[in-house]
Amino acid sequence: MIGQNVPRTDGVPKVIGTARYIDDVPPLPGELWGVTVRSPVARGVLQRIELDPSFDWTDVTVVTADDMDDEHNVVALIEYDQPVLAKKQLRHMYEPIALIACADRDKAERARAAVKLHIDKQEPVLSIEDSLAAKHVVWGEDNVLKKYEIKQGDAEAAFQSCELVLTGTYRVHHQEQLYIEPQGVIARWFAGQDGQENLKILGSLQCPYYVHKALKKTFDLPDDRAHVEQTVTGGGFGGKEEYPSVVALHAALLAKKSGKPVRMIYGRKEDIEATTKRHPAICTVTIGCKNDGTFVAVKVDCLMDGGAYVTLTPVVLSRGALHACGAYRFQHHHVLAKALATSTPPNGAFRGFGAPQTIWAIERHVDAVARALGRDPHDLRDQNLFNEGDTTCTGQVLSVSVGGRACLDAATKAVDWKARRANIDRFNEKLARDGKRVRRGIGISTFMHGAGFTGSGERRLKGKVAVDLTPGGRLNIRSASTDIGQGTETVFRQIAASVSGVPFEHIDLEVPNTTKVPDSGPTVASRTVMVVGSIVGKAALEVAERVRAEMKDSGGTFAEAGDRLLKRVGGTVSSLQQYEPPVTRQFDEATYTGDAYPCFSWACDVAEVEVDLDTYETRVLKLWSASDVGRVINPILCAGQVEGGTLQAIGWALYEDVVWRPDGSIANARMTNYIVPTAVDAPPFETILVEIPFPAGPGGAKGVGELPMDGGAPAIASAVEHALSHELKWQGSLLPDLPLLPEKIFNRVRQLES
Amino acid sequence: MTGVAGILDGVRFERARSLDEAVSRVGALVSSGEPFHVLAGGTDLVVESHLAPPSPVARPGRTILDISSVPELSKIEDRGDRIRFGGGVTYLTLRREPWASRIPLLARMARDVGAIQIQARGTLAGNIATASPAADGVCGLFPLDTLVGLRSASGERAVPLTEYFTGYKKTQRRPDELIAWVDVRVPARDAKWAWRKVGTRLAQAISKVALAAVIEIDKGIIQYARFGMASVAPVTVSLPSVRALLEGRGVDVDLAALDAAVDRDVAPIDDVRSTGDYRRHVARAVVRELTRSLTT
């Protein structure tokens, strides 16, 4: 089963249209439509909410912060700083202030317009620089949401004896997840058998237990009175990690006050405007090396824009910091990472989770060092890439499933790097001779991504999965890991089938619902297959073994023995497994030393591009990605993850840009203006799955979800620089900042020429 | 017909079956003062109606007059040196034979409009009526000496497309008029033509700059040089200075003079898709590239 291209089990219902997304769930009796009244300013003080007296409010439910006490008016996550509804201080454009529900959707929209907000405007803080300078203090005492320092050796001292020390500053921008299905939930309160109030949330979400936690806090509910169930979810990419808690709390507040079920589904504009995005970052990187290219010391100073509230920023910043030194061997490391608050909507989880930001910086800087040394960017990477036995910035010795070199070698061979680069150079000379206005280029990135939660995260989390025996010798997997399009449903069945020996067709999967499934931990951090999948296998095996013991004792088929066993024990034959992380060197969260991850996934991306010298449009002609994600469970689904994630990286590099107006609002909150690549823009992909097994993963699997987001952008930038190197001369980095929009390249070239 | 639940509640739908019926209904709606929208392909109307709830289009009491089934509007008359396309002709039709070989510029342009779904619904008249300066369809028609046929209950008149737009999303069309047809000149068989769209991506993209051109050369002299350029001014521009520079001259063009002519003809701005500086640069570059291709 493992390693086979089993067709995805959710495929047919999605293709023929029977899969029910949240908007497809039939209306409940009496259901209302909920909408949100949002702040029209990026920063200000709310003085009064006025309901237009000429509007008929009789069939409209209105909820404001006054409907909760302050203790419960929080979105429970890491810090309890974000209110469910703003009461006084408004901290970002689009911040929720009031909620409206009405049976008539059109009237609900009109009611939203009939709420008058009286606000004293304040000057917002809209950039990392302004926040750092504490132009205004918008969070805590100094706008600093979180900071980390990672230190191995003495980088500053080591620079003194390096033959080349080069510093560069690199910037990355917001990115919108742009899942196809916007945020949406249905909330309903109902009386349990004991007469007590229960709350049920149905929704498009990644992490049922995150929503569960938020509901329990705001509504003072015990575990068993908050029920969160995932509906078929049309994409998440991190965007449905923490934000669904906000939508669920809002719908639940309206449902509680109105006494009716409330459906709340965002339109695309509202979804782009109000929900989380990738953290922008500014990273200053210094590399010290010898003249022969041997890296000696690295220092990274990383600033991230967390937005208006803490949300998941500390964790994003942590992952960013831990990946800031790249996949290279240094003797000395120093990373300073700081997240700052601004008056923009909170930035949050997005595939890669901080790593694409810092990997952009280190990869761009390795190219700049190669340029300074007159070296081929491939060869400089080859020289310094981590090998087994090398030590990372936290002092972690890479000892298991270290696939970086295998990926680089596989990509080099597939691309035929040296020959191809030389051919491109010759081709560009011909293009120039013929007066053609395009040039080609090829670029590379090598990178790694820590699999699973950082440090002792998994040990604290204690993720659980249950597998039950059901009639007919079937197994039912109960897990809170959600399939949001990535294929979890299918690969969990493959793992269970492979480990237990029960046929794939005899394995079912419970819909994630906090009342029915144990907390497997969130569906994040490239952990679903490696972490949760490993206990899916264990639990399935344990149940199957019990049935086989029964067969051995009393005979019959597996199904007969299973049914007999069920009857004898009175209905439940089940295995509940808790994840036990492999024993590694303890990670010390105070000093950021030790084993940050049980293992890393590795990759090498190579991009070939064509750049128009008149319009500075870049087309990716081909993208090779050699990825080591351990043993591959389902090659087609896995390649789909690699190609999809890489395409998302291409989007971030070349097309996507959140356009902010000076007042802190978004100018392009539409799919016509927030530009993601289409199928026509997607290059042919050559995906090479390099399988270096990780013994603690199911069948040897590691994580794949985030890795492909990390390396696409720097490989493309490297290729664009190569293409333009025939026309331009520059020092350091030609393209230090994302996105590589034609307008930005045009400005940069003009700046160089003047 | 009643509205689509949840989106168009209370909106009145009417479907015209002939052009006469359509224009008389439009005339009646205009004189009654009732708010109405004309629906052809729907690629603007349907998109706009979702923009800002409560939707400005889908308000109770409004009328949507559907003209997509008016047979006259999908007629095409080939008159040899000119072709008259009904206003309801879609971009997909332009991509197909025999029109694709009669006017390859329009076929090539049509390929870049939205994507196949938009091309199957979107109409020539719809693009002209919406009057966006970014419209590829309008830009593609500009070099073809195009006349726009405006029809009302009181008669029909023809307006040159290059004079049709009077300001940003403003046109010569009266509210009681429908665009019945567009009448285009078929370029000479050996005419050079160009279509260059610089968009935000390769499909489903709005132009940052687009250039359409038809150039006819006889004995080394440019006899006919007509252009359309999108997204560089409040209206689609015909590059009159460039035309004046080229017509009656040889194909060896002074590039500095050409750049200066382009500069006189465009007035690009910064917006959500691009910058004025970039657009000006690209406008010059694509015109230069076009003239370069004349000599090769």
Side-chain angles (χ1 to χ4, degrees):
Chain A
M1 269 286 123
I2 286 181
Q4 286 181 28
N5 286 321
V6 180
R8 54 191 302 163
T9 49
D10 57 330
V12 169
K14 282 177 177 168
V15 170
I16 67 173
T18 55
R20 272 190 185 170
Y21 295 84
I22 189 69
D23 198 33
D24 303 322
V25 175
L28 300 169
E31 184 182 287
L32 306 182
W33 176 252
V35 297
T36 313
V37 177
R38 299 181 180 281
S39 172
V41 303
R43 187 164 164 252
V45 178
L46 178 65
Q47 297 299 358
R48 196 159 57 87
I49 300 173
E50 182 191 343
L51 303 184
D52 182 349
S54 67
F55 190 84
D56 171 19
W57 295 95
T58 49
D59 58 345
V60 178
T61 303
V62 181
V63 170
T64 69
D66 291 340
D67 288 280
M68 292 163 280
D69 59 34
D70 291 352
E71 191 207 328
H72 295 94
N73 186 9
V74 293
V75 182
L77 196 58
I78 295 174
E79 298 284 341
Y80 288 10
D81 63 331
Q82 183 182 20
V84 182
L85 292 170
K87 188 173 182 179
K88 196 88 188 153
Q89 181 66 49
L90 303 175
R91 296 181 187 276
H92 65 85
M93 186 67 77
Y94 315 123
E95 180 161 22
I97 292 174
L99 304 164
I100 284 170
C102 181
D104 175 348
R105 288 185 184 199
D106 192 62
K107 187 170 178 185
E109 289 297 348
R110 280 180 282 128
R112 169 147 68 173
V115 177
K116 303 268 175 289
L117 302 171
H118 297 267
I119 295 167
D120 291 339
K121 268 176 129 174
Q122 295 169 309
E123 195 187 4
V125 174
L126 296 173
S127 68
I128 290 176
E129 291 90 338
D130 284 352
S131 179
L132 188 66
K135 188 178 169 197
H136 298 286
V137 175
V138 294
W139 200 92
E141 286 168 9
D142 54 2
N143 292 338
V144 178
L145 294 169
K146 188 76 187 178
K147 55 183 176 183
Y148 300 101
E149 182 170 13
I150 303 173
K151 215 170 170 178
Q152 289 285 322
D154 187 344
E156 282 83 353
F159 289 145
Q160 305 300 319
S161 54
C162 286
E163 286 161 329
L164 174 74
V165 178
L166 191 71
T167 300
T169 297
Y170 306 90
R171 287 157 201 268
V172 300
H173 61 311
H174 284 97
Q175 184 181 23
E176 160 62 29
Q177 292 89 355
L178 215 79
Y179 27 69
I180 294 290
E181 183 200 28
Q183 303 272 350
V185 306
I186 297 170
R188 176 169 68 94
W189 292 85
F190 63 97
Q193 287 182 345
D194 54 5
Q196 295 281 336
E197 281 277 276
N198 282 251
L199 170 58
K200 173 80 184 268
I201 295 287
L202 265 181
S204 177
L205 46 88
Q206 279 178 240
C207 308
Y209 275 95
Y210 277 9
V211 178
H212 191 246
K213 174 180 170 176
L215 297 174
K216 286 195 301 174
K217 168 68 187 166
T218 294
F219 296 104
D220 259 335
L221 292 168
D223 278 348
D224 58 349
R225 296 199 195 287
H227 313 266
V228 182
E229 182 172 319
Q230 185 216 11
T231 46
V232 176
T233 298
F237 311 110
K240 291 174 187 163
E241 177 171 347
E242 74 273 31
Y243 200 84
S245 296
V246 174
V247 195
L249 288 167
H250 288 172
L253 280 165
L254 284 168
K256 193 174 172 97
K257 191 160 180 183
S258 65
K260 291 179 174 156
V262 171
R263 182 181 304 236
M264 211 167 190
I265 300 174
Y266 286 4
R268 180 63 64 184
K269 181 170 183 283
E270 182 173 27
D271 196 300
I272 293 179
E273 287 173 342
T275 73
T276 56
K277 288 162 198 68
R278 183 182 301 289
H279 290 66
I282 304 173
C283 294
T284 298
V285 185
T286 304
I287 286 179
C289 62
K290 298 181 186 163
N291 275 336
D292 71 359
T294 308
F295 290 174
V296 176
V298 62
K299 182 174 183 208
V300 183
D301 208 322
C302 174
L303 302 170
M304 279 193 193
D305 175 355
Y309 294 105
V310 173
T311 65
L312 291 171
T313 290
V315 200
V316 173
L317 183 70
S318 163
R319 191 170 278 266
L322 288 165
H323 289 75
C325 301
Y328 308 104
R329 187 170 49 247
F330 291 96
Q331 310 306 314
H332 306 272
H333 306 80
H334 193 187
V335 181
L336 288 162
K338 199 184 268 188
L340 293 142
T342 58
S343 314
T344 59
N347 295 311
F350 194 152
R351 194 177 208 167
F353 210 75
Q357 289 93 318
T358 53
I359 289 173
W360 164 260
I362 189 78
E363 285 301 289
R364 292 275 55 220
H365 198 58
V366 168
D367 278 3
V369 171
R371 187 165 197 80
L373 292 168
R375 293 283 300 277
D376 177 313
H378 170 280
D379 295 350
L380 189 65
R381 285 175 170 81
D382 192 24
Q383 182 179 352
N384 290 288
L385 191 67
F386 275 138
N387 289 318
E388 196 170 308
D390 286 337
T391 307
T392 71
C393 63
T394 63
Q396 175 169 0
V397 178
L398 296 167
S399 54
V400 57
S401 187
V402 184
R405 175 132 332 257
C407 290
L408 178 62
D409 291 348
T412 306
K413 189 167 165 237
V415 172
D416 196 1
W417 174 271
K418 276 212 164 10
R420 189 174 285 267
R421 195 162 159 107
N423 277 338
I424 288 173
D425 287 332
R426 276 194 297 276
F427 185 61
N428 281 334
E429 281 160 24
K430 182 177 185 312
L431 289 170
R433 277 198 308 276
D434 295 349
K436 294 282 191 285
R437 300 294 293 160
V438 294
R439 298 291 181 270
R440 291 195 174 176
I442 191 166
I444 187 168
S445 62
T446 41
F447 50 100
M448 62 191 207
H449 196 101
F453 268 123
T454 303
S456 29
E458 296 291 353
R459 203 170 298 280
R460 265 201 309 274
L461 199 68
K462 302 185 173 66
K464 293 171 200 61
V465 159
V467 170
D468 305 333
L469 179 66
T470 57
R474 301 182 71 86
L475 301 185
N476 186 39
I477 303 169
R478 289 187 287 123
S479 152
S481 296
T482 53
D483 193 327
I484 54 174
Q486 75 281 50
T488 305
E489 270 192 44
T490 311
V491 295
F492 272 10
R493 284 182 168 100
Q494 281 182 266
I495 293 167
S498 163
V499 178
S500 69
V502 175
F504 181 85
E505 302 74 31
H506 291 188
I507 295 171
D508 304 305
L509 205 79
E510 189 74 41
V511 170
N513 176 329
T514 53
T515 309
K516 293 180 180 160
V517 302
D519 187 356
S520 317
T523 304
V524 303
S526 311
R527 65 185 287 280
T528 298
V529 164
M530 183 182 88
V531 171
V532 186
S534 72
I535 47 175
V536 164
K538 265 190 199 163
L541 178 63
E542 190 182 287
V543 173
E545 289 298 313
R546 287 182 62 186
V547 177
R548 288 201 188 96
E550 174 74 21
M551 282 167 80
K552 205 172 166 194
D553 292 347
S554 317
T557 63
F558 188 87
E560 287 160 358
D563 289 348
R564 203 163 55 231
L565 184 62
L566 279 175
K567 204 168 165 191
R568 198 175 62 244
V569 301
T572 7
V573 175
S574 185
S575 166
L576 178 70
Q577 293 289 335
Q578 179 175 311
Y579 185 67
E580 271 304 322
V583 179
T584 52
R585 206 181 125 216
Q586 181 78 32
F587 186 73
D588 182 337
E589 303 206 345
T591 59
Y592 261 56
T593 52
D595 286 6
Y597 300 98
C599 66
F600 292 85
S601 292
W602 301 81
C604 174
D605 282 357
V606 176
E608 185 173 340
V609 304
E610 185 169 281
V611 182
D612 188 306
L613 296 179
D614 287 331
T615 65
Y616 299 104
E617 293 166 291
T618 300
R619 274 199 71 181
V620 184
L621 301 176
K622 176 140 187 187
L623 208 140
W624 294 262
S625 186
S627 304
D628 162 33
V629 298
R631 183 84 167 101
V632 171
I633 310 288
N634 184 317
I636 285 183
L637 285 176
C638 186
Q641 286 288 297
V642 173
E643 291 172 15
T646 307
L647 187 59
Q648 212 157 21
I650 292 172
W652 193 42
L654 293 177
Y655 306 100
E656 299 180 44
D657 190 20
V658 179
V659 181
W660 297 91
R661 298 191 185 98
D663 68 353
S665 63
I666 295 172
N668 61 336
R670 298 173 62 180
M671 289 180 83
T672 43
N673 287 337
Y674 185 82
I675 307 297
V676 292
T678 66
V680 190
D681 302 288
F685 289 100
E686 186 168 330
T687 298
I688 304 155
L689 299 172
V690 178
E691 302 186 65
I692 312 288
F694 171 58
K702 300 189 280 192
V704 65
E706 296 167 287
L707 178 76
M709 183 69 223
D710 290 343
I716 289 166
S718 179
V720 173
E721 282 193 355
H722 179 220
L724 293 175
S725 66
H726 300 265
E727 312 297 316
L728 295 167
K729 294 291 160 250
W730 68 89
Q731 306 253 302
S733 192
L734 176 69
L735 304 168
D737 304 337
L738 280 178
L740 306 173
L741 290 175
E743 288 80 359
K744 300 211 169 168
I745 303 178
F746 164 65
N747 286 340
R748 178 79 172 111
V749 170
R750 217 168 37 166
Q751 178 198 5
L752 272 180
E753 284 171 349
S754 67
Chain B
M1 193 175 156
T2 53
V4 178
I7 300 172
L8 297 174
D9 284 336
V11 174
R12 195 166 63 241
F13 276 89
E14 295 178 14
R15 175 170 284 176
R17 299 286 173 184
S18 72
L19 188 54
D20 283 341
E21 187 192 336
V23 292
S24 85
R25 190 64 194 122
V26 168
L29 283 162
V30 170
S31 33
S32 75
E34 275 181 52
F36 73 98
H37 300 276
V38 176
L39 174 75
T43 57
D44 282 320
L45 190 69
V46 173
V47 171
E48 294 305 317
S49 70
H50 281 80
L51 280 190
S55 153
V57 171
R59 305 300 308 144
R62 294 216 160 196
T63 297
I64 291 181
L65 178 64
D66 174 9
I67 59 166
S68 63
S69 308
V70 172
E72 294 96 314
L73 293 178
S74 51
K75 274 206 333 217
I76 302 176
E77 290 170 62
D78 191 340
R79 300 170 177 182
D81 59 341
R82 294 190 71 93
I83 299 174
R84 182 166 288 196
F85 293 104
V89 166
T90 65
Y91 295 98
L92 197 57
T93 302
L94 296 179
R95 289 183 62 174
R96 291 186 175 142
E97 293 303 333
W99 319 114
S101 33
R102 297 280 281 137
I103 312 185
L105 164 63
L106 289 185
R108 179 63 193 83
M109 172 276 291
R111 262 173 60 190
D112 278 354
V113 174
I116 198 82
Q117 298 90 335
I118 298 286
Q119 292 160 18
R121 297 289 314 169
T123 65
L124 285 172
N127 233 189
I128 295 170
T130 300
S132 160
D136 293 335
V138 172
C139 184
L141 289 169
F142 252 56
L144 300 172
D145 189 29
T146 300
L147 295 171
V148 181
L150 295 173
R151 178 85 170 267
S152 70
S154 56
E156 189 173 278
R157 60 184 177 127
V159 178
L161 182 63
T162 50
E163 294 163 25
Y164 177 83
F165 303 99
T166 55
Y168 178 68
K169 295 200 173 177
K170 288 203 175 73
T171 75
Q172 293 200 36
R173 186 175 67 85
R174 298 193 311 265
D176 67 329
E177 288 177 317
L178 289 179
I179 299 166
W181 44 260
V182 291
D183 192 285
V184 305
R185 174 183 180 274
V186 179
R189 216 168 265 285
D190 60 351
K192 304 233 178 203
W193 62 271
W195 171 254
R196 178 75 192 271
K197 172 168 175 167
V198 179
T200 49
R201 60 188 160 203
L202 291 178
Q204 299 283 24
I206 298 172
S207 291
K208 293 175 178 177
V209 174
L211 172 71
V214 172
I215 293 178
E216 293 172 2
I217 302 165
D218 188 33
K219 302 187 182 74
I221 301 297
I222 297 171
Q223 302 293 345
Y224 179 99
R226 304 292 165 89
F227 306 93
M229 189 172 266
S231 299
V232 290
V235 296
T236 307
V237 296
S238 61
L239 301 180
S241 310
V242 178
R243 175 184 167 187
L245 183 70
L246 297 181
E247 280 189 349
R249 311 274 181 92
V251 294
D252 278 330
V253 185
D254 174 56
L255 291 180
L258 193 68
D259 284 352
V262 172
D263 279 349
R264 279 196 296 281
D265 291 342
V266 302
I269 56 163
D270 293 355
D271 67 9
V272 70
R273 275 182 289 282
S274 190
T275 65
D277 282 351
Y278 174 80
R279 286 183 158 120
R280 184 175 294 277
H281 166 82
V282 170
R284 286 178 185 168
V286 294
V287 172
R288 275 180 175 227
E289 180 67 23
L290 168 73
T291 58
R292 229 189 323 263
S293 74
L294 297 178
T295 57
T296 55

